[in-house]
Amino acid sequence: MSRLITVAAAQLGPIEREEGRASVVGRMTDMMRQAHARGARLVVFPEMALTTFFPRWYIEDEAELDSFYETEMPSAQTQPLFDLAKELGVGFYLGYSEMFFDETGKKRRFNTAILVNQQAEIVGKYRKVHLPGHATHEPEREWQHLEKGYFEVGDLGFPVFRTMGGVMGMCLCNDRRWPETWRVMGMQDVDIVMLGYNTPVYNSIAAESPHLRMFHNHISMQAGAYQNGTWAVGTAKAGIEGGVDMMAGSCIIAPTGEIVALATTAEDEVIVAECDLDRGRYIRDTVFNFAQHRRIETYGLITERTEAISPPE
Ligand code: CDT
């Protein structure tokens, strides 16, 4: 029996600092309706989809910083997304900033994504592992990237979830650049890896052309998809946001590594593809048949060492 699911990436154009959750959720529900009208049963929204990408600013005021995080999910403001998902029978991936107080009373903050099924139930949660940028204010930068200051490293690993007819995995933005992210989910026979991203078009600390930045965006996801025989859906927050040009290029990638749908704007835009979850089976059974070909006795350094160490001269 074929395992087909039509999937959408719902790219968001810029969200300015003053734009409220109600307005953003309205944009997202509009796109969910568009995606559904084009046959989608699963919609992937960006990283930090409910707010502007606030780590670009050094925010000293704790209350102001807290205002960018969600303390409950769903909340009154995000409930319309869940209501519409249930009405339409559409699942979704949502990236947002999560804050809560743990049992010791400590404030915890994570860069989080959830997976919601077609009955509007939260069936999966992921907290970003690879936090890029820096932890403290670096005034010499044209803009900040304070993810290391504003979030803890995710504590849930890279779990996958059997739902909506397949094995679903999640990661967030910078995670896509790390082969380990993909392999850990590949080791769990993942069928679709969903991810949202917020990536500046320009590198604030090194010379890199926009073309090269987009190349790295796509090659990371295409390689991850192919090497694990999985679909990948990458959804951007795009356009000029908070004065910073954010990369578009949202895409749906087949297990062959081919981009089968690609956004053409840097605005709110829905792209759709029908995904045969068995498309990657031949890859997982042949060139990347892990059981036959992986040589784990030679991979120890990957988990024993963090940094690269040159051999002695
Ligand atoms: N959000 C996120 O992870 N963005 C990073 C930008 C890195 S620049 C410090 C990315 O890898 O796209």
Side-chain angles (χ1 to χ4, degrees):
M1 201 180 77
S2 70
R3 295 190 302 142
L4 295 175
I5 181 168
T6 301
V7 178
Q11 175 175 284
L12 278 161
I15 300 174
E16 290 305 340
R17 198 166 170 160
E18 45 289 333
E19 182 169 353
R21 304 268 197 302
S23 163
V24 178
V25 168
R27 290 164 58 184
M28 293 168 75
T29 50
D30 281 353
M31 287 202 288
M32 190 182 276
R33 283 188 196 283
Q34 285 176 43
H36 175 258
R38 293 168 61 186
R41 300 295 311 278
L42 174 61
V43 178
V44 179
F45 291 110
E47 175 189 46
M48 265 179 241
L50 300 168
T51 64
T52 196
F53 187 74
F54 63 92
R56 71 168 64 89
W57 294 294
Y58 175 52
I59 301 169
E60 287 181 272
D61 183 82
E62 181 88 357
E64 188 183 358
L65 183 59
D66 286 353
S67 72
F68 290 104
Y69 296 78
E70 311 305 311
T71 53
E72 48 178 351
M73 188 59 67
S75 60
Q77 289 156 318
T78 51
Q79 189 62 47
L81 270 176
F82 289 75
D83 292 345
L84 186 62
K86 192 169 186 174
E87 180 191 322
L88 301 177
V90 168
F92 65 94
Y93 160 111
L94 172 70
Y96 64 98
S97 304
E98 177 189 14
M99 186 177 83
F100 63 95
F101 291 90
D102 69 16
E103 57 288 347
T104 69
K106 186 173 171 239
K107 189 184 280 186
R108 312 288 301 273
R109 292 183 168 122
F110 294 96
N111 188 344
T112 294
I114 51 167
L115 184 61
V116 178
N117 70 13
Q118 292 150 345
Q119 293 74 46
E121 299 156 339
I122 297 175
V123 291
K125 180 178 267 196
Y126 168 71
R127 291 177 174 148
K128 188 174 182 178
V129 167
H130 299 101
L131 296 174
H134 47 106
T136 55
H137 189 205
E138 296 186 359
E140 67 282 5
R141 286 176 182 254
E142 203 175 327
W143 59 82
Q144 304 294 298
H145 197 110
L146 279 159
E147 283 195 63
K148 283 192 195 300
Y150 293 165
F151 300 107
E152 292 179 50
V153 172
D155 59 354
L156 301 175
F158 292 101
V160 299
F161 306 93
R162 187 172 284 287
T163 180
M164 293 178 268
V167 179
M168 307 295 179
M170 297 185 277
C171 65
L172 279 159
C173 197
N174 190 261
D175 287 323
R176 73 196 185 287
R177 303 184 192 272
W178 299 89
E180 295 86 349
T181 299
W182 298 89
R183 184 62 97 224
V184 171
M185 287 189 271
M187 295 307 302
Q188 300 170 82
D189 219 25
V190 73
D191 291 318
I192 307 182
V193 172
M194 290 163 255
L195 68 100
Y197 60 91
N198 281 271
T199 301
V201 168
Y202 296 94
N203 186 332
S204 67
I205 49 172
E208 227 177 11
S209 72
H211 165 78
L212 192 55
R213 303 269 290 169
M214 184 62 87
F215 174 71
H216 292 156
N217 174 41
H218 285 152
I219 198 173
S220 300
M221 294 188 278
Q222 290 177 267
Y226 165 60
Q227 290 169 349
N228 295 281
T230 179
W231 287 88
V233 184
T235 307
K237 172 108 68 58
I240 298 177
E241 186 190 84
V244 177
D245 200 355
M246 303 297 285
M247 182 186 289
S250 299
C251 55
I252 301 175
I253 299 167
T256 51
E258 297 162 290
I259 295 177
V260 297
L262 179 64
T264 56
T265 72
E267 298 162 10
D268 290 5
E269 181 180 344
V270 176
I271 58 169
V272 172
E274 183 182 67
C275 303
D276 175 356
L277 300 185
D278 291 320
R279 180 75 178 105
R281 183 45 59 196
Y282 87 94
I283 293 175
R284 291 186 233 171
D285 286 345
T286 57
V287 67
F288 291 121
N289 183 322
F290 292 165
Q292 281 182 13
H293 307 306
R294 290 186 80 245
R295 293 288 169 249
I296 58 172
E297 67 278 13
T298 68
Y299 304 156
L301 282 182
I302 289 177
T303 52
E304 284 159 21
R305 241 186 222 180
T306 307
E307 75 277 38
I309 301 174
S310 307
E313 294 284 339

